[in-house]
Amino acid sequence: MPGVTINRVPLARRALAGLSGLLAGAAALAVAELAAVAVRPEAGPVVAVGSGAIDRTPAPVKDWAIRTFGEADKLVLQLGILLVLALLAVGLGLAATRHRRAAAAGVLLFGVVGAAAALSRPDSSSWTDALPSVAGALAGAAVLHVLAGRLTAAPPGADGADGADGAWDRRGFLIAASAAAVASAGAGTAARVAAGARGGDAAASRDAVTLPRPASKAAPVPPGAALRVPGLQPFVTPNKDFYRVDTALVVPKVDATAWRLRIHGRGVRTPLTLTFQDLLRRALVERDITLTCVSNEVGGPYVGNARWIGVPLAGLLREAGVRPPSRGGPADQLVSRSVDGMTIGTPVDDVMDGSDALLAVGMNGEPLPFDHGFPVRMVVPGLYGYVSACKWIEDIELTTFDAYDAYWVKRDWAREAPVKTQSRIDTPKPFARPGAGTVMVAGVAWAQHRGIEAVEVRVDDGPWRRADLAAEHTADTWRQWSWPWKATPGSHTLTVRATDGTGATQTDRRTRTIPDGASGWHSVVVTVE
């Protein structure tokens, strides 16, 4: 029927208009990512906008994202950005059938946003960071302008100057859309190949690293430090399982042969510039240290124990002429900077107090994985990571807390953040259904620098029962514990608390992770059958 035909044609053209927007968006992203390979990967529009979003997100929202999505939070953010871009691209495609130039100008506007985001990044040092977004926007605007033209132009030989009455250049649109799709796919593939080749130099430099034998080896782990209880976190966390919490949307791939570290600032008599080989030629030490993220909620997974190899940071600072404030030095804060622009502020006294603060080059017997900071990162026992554990470090500046607020402090986290005494039940898991009889309850407890003196477990509102502690390795590593529970049928709540080496018992007062780490007792509910 004529009425049916008249309705179908506009609907089909609207669908194709939306497709035009998507093809234009794909072209823009593909060209932008290809250009970013030539400039630097962090200058790509998705990474630049995503990083800008992370920087401007309120701390409670970031905390919610980590709590909700875990280590997939960055993937969720990137997918969200792509979804928003796709919806906007469809909208611009629909608008282009009536306002072709205005829609193309809209694509250019998004290029301006991407360029501004790239230039505003703390690791941006050149106007060239704007080029990927600009190049992508120009490509996307051109594709949208051409495709919209095919949807509104009458085919060759047709009556009329446009396709308002349903006559439009189907063949021209098909050819142009296919060409745009193929070109975008080609540019995207070229970008991935080129990015892989660029990252290959960094990977090759890591593969070439042979860690020297440490001058000071870690003390042997006592035989009784690692309990063999099913479901209990191992004493040493494998690299692949070690938590990763940072703001880097793209993990930096740093070529160790080109890496440099600068030490400078207040109270530095002799500024130092060190290469990776300079560090490897120094006397390395090996230490077992447990790290904790401040975003770790009570009972959370963002804590891990590893064997680190590195150069004592205090020795380097003394070599540069630095004195801690407790000995009259003018700087009380050490600001470490990452290659991605992250800044982390650490109390100088905590680095130079005789503890095992390291510039780590190795983790569990191998060079640092890229995810964990290759080629060099900071490791400072006893402090939450956001004030100590700078990954991909390239600069250390001595300053004061009054003169400078590091990244997280600007976002309402505390300036100083010693790790709080915490304990966790690893087994049984929440909502487990063990059988009646003896059930082994086990977990870990940590209070870096202070050590763990005791762990107690309570069933429901009953009395606290002393758990069996595994042998202590050092005060800077977590301690495993276990308790055989004679379980009776029914629903029960198991609660744990720890007492540290100073005699202070873990508080039951629940606090959020902001501003200086969560507190409270960890509990699990199980049903005994």
Side-chain angles (χ1 to χ4, degrees):
M1 297 175 60
V4 174
T5 303
I6 290 173
N7 289 331
R8 283 181 178 172
V9 171
L11 179 60
R13 287 176 60 194
R14 283 197 296 271
L16 293 176
L19 176 62
S20 298
L22 288 175
L23 289 173
L29 289 178
V31 171
E33 294 306 317
L34 183 58
V37 174
V39 178
R40 61 190 192 99
E42 295 80 6
V46 174
V47 174
V49 172
S51 299
I54 290 174
D55 290 346
R56 291 163 178 77
T57 299
V61 177
K62 289 182 183 176
D63 206 40
W64 171 85
I66 294 173
R67 185 170 64 250
T68 304
F69 303 112
E71 295 183 23
D73 58 341
K74 300 171 189 65
L75 175 61
V76 171
L77 174 61
Q78 289 176 303
L79 291 176
I81 291 172
L82 292 175
L83 177 60
V84 170
L85 288 176
L87 293 174
L88 292 172
V90 170
L92 287 173
L94 293 171
T97 58
R98 293 182 177 274
H99 309 285
R100 186 155 51 129
R101 291 182 180 178
V107 178
L108 294 176
L109 178 60
F110 284 110
V112 171
V113 172
L119 292 174
S120 69
R121 295 293 301 140
D123 56 335
S124 176
S125 59
S126 172
W127 62 270
T128 56
D129 282 355
L131 292 180
S133 293
V134 172
L138 290 172
V143 168
L144 183 58
H145 192 268
V146 170
L147 293 179
R150 300 285 72 76
L151 284 175
T152 56
D159 293 333
D162 58 49
D165 295 326
W168 51 280
D169 190 357
R170 292 172 173 79
R171 185 171 182 275
F173 177 85
L174 180 60
I175 292 173
S178 299
V182 170
S184 298
T189 301
R192 287 191 292 272
V193 171
R198 182 167 180 166
D201 292 338
S205 73
R206 182 179 182 275
D207 292 340
V209 174
T210 299
L211 294 176
R213 183 181 298 274
S216 174
K217 291 184 64 65
V221 177
L227 302 179
R228 296 184 177 180
V229 178
L232 175 62
Q233 182 82 4
F235 181 75
V236 175
T237 308
N239 290 354
K240 65 181 179 61
D241 297 329
F242 208 94
Y243 73 89
R244 179 199 164 199
V245 178
D246 53 55
T247 63
L249 282 180
V250 175
V251 174
K253 298 292 180 69
V254 181
D255 185 342
T257 63
W259 176 86
R260 299 291 186 274
L261 173 69
R262 181 184 175 213
I263 300 177
H264 62 104
R266 297 184 62 170
V268 176
R269 292 199 305 269
T270 308
L272 300 178
T273 299
L274 302 166
T275 68
F276 187 66
Q277 287 301 317
D278 288 338
L279 293 184
L280 294 186
R281 283 191 288 265
R282 290 174 175 264
L284 303 183
V285 302
E286 179 185 66
R287 296 292 183 266
D288 295 321
I289 298 172
T290 296
L291 297 186
T292 310
C293 179
V294 73
S295 294
N296 195 52
E297 292 197 317
V298 173
Y302 302 131
V303 57
N305 186 53
R307 176 159 290 187
W308 308 91
I309 297 176
V311 176
L313 182 52
L316 288 175
L317 295 179
R318 284 193 294 268
E319 186 177 323
V322 175
R323 288 178 295 127
S326 58
R327 297 187 179 182
D332 60 4
Q333 179 179 207
L334 181 157
V335 176
S336 50
R337 289 182 172 85
S338 168
V339 299
D340 69 343
M342 172 58 65
T343 57
I344 287 178
T346 309
V348 175
D349 273 331
D350 284 289
V351 173
M352 303 186 74
D353 66 356
S355 65
D356 291 315
L358 302 176
L359 286 180
V361 297
M363 181 180 182
N364 289 333
E366 64 177 77
L368 290 172
F370 286 110
D371 280 358
H372 296 292
F374 180 83
V376 182
R377 67 170 292 164
M378 271 179 58
V379 173
V380 182
L383 300 178
Y384 285 115
Y386 84 99
V387 294
S388 66
C390 183
K391 297 190 283 190
W392 315 294
I393 189 173
E394 66 172 3
D395 187 273
I396 293 176
E397 180 183 2
L398 278 298
T399 183
T400 65
F401 283 106
D402 289 339
Y404 185 82
D405 285 338
Y407 181 93
W408 291 110
V409 175
K410 292 177 182 176
R411 289 154 178 82
D412 299 327
W413 296 79
R415 286 179 171 180
E416 301 184 35
V419 173
K420 297 179 180 180
T421 302
Q422 284 287 294
S423 54
R424 186 182 73 197
I425 298 173
D426 285 351
T427 183
K429 301 294 184 186
F431 310 115
R433 305 181 73 87
T438 301
V439 174
M440 189 60 71
V441 183
V444 289
W446 59 92
Q448 291 93 315
H449 261 20
R450 303 181 302 281
I452 294 296
E453 183 65 28
V455 171
E456 299 169 289
V457 183
R458 182 176 68 184
V459 180
D460 300 322
D461 293 322
W464 290 101
R465 304 294 186 183
R466 192 99 169 203
D468 297 319
L469 283 177
E472 182 180 64
H473 181 28
T474 75
D476 287 334
T477 59
W478 59 14
R479 200 166 180 182
Q480 295 180 334
W481 58 268
S482 64
W483 180 65
W485 171 38
K486 298 189 181 304
T488 57
S491 177
H492 299 285
T493 300
L494 302 171
T495 305
V496 64
R497 70 180 183 185
T499 299
D500 66 27
T502 70
T505 298
Q506 176 183 347
T507 178
D508 64 338
R509 188 171 69 89
R510 280 270 181 166
T511 63
R512 301 165 57 206
T513 57
I514 300 172
D516 60 356
S519 68
W521 296 339
H522 183 219
S523 298
V524 298
V525 176
V526 300
T527 300
V528 179
E529 299 180 330

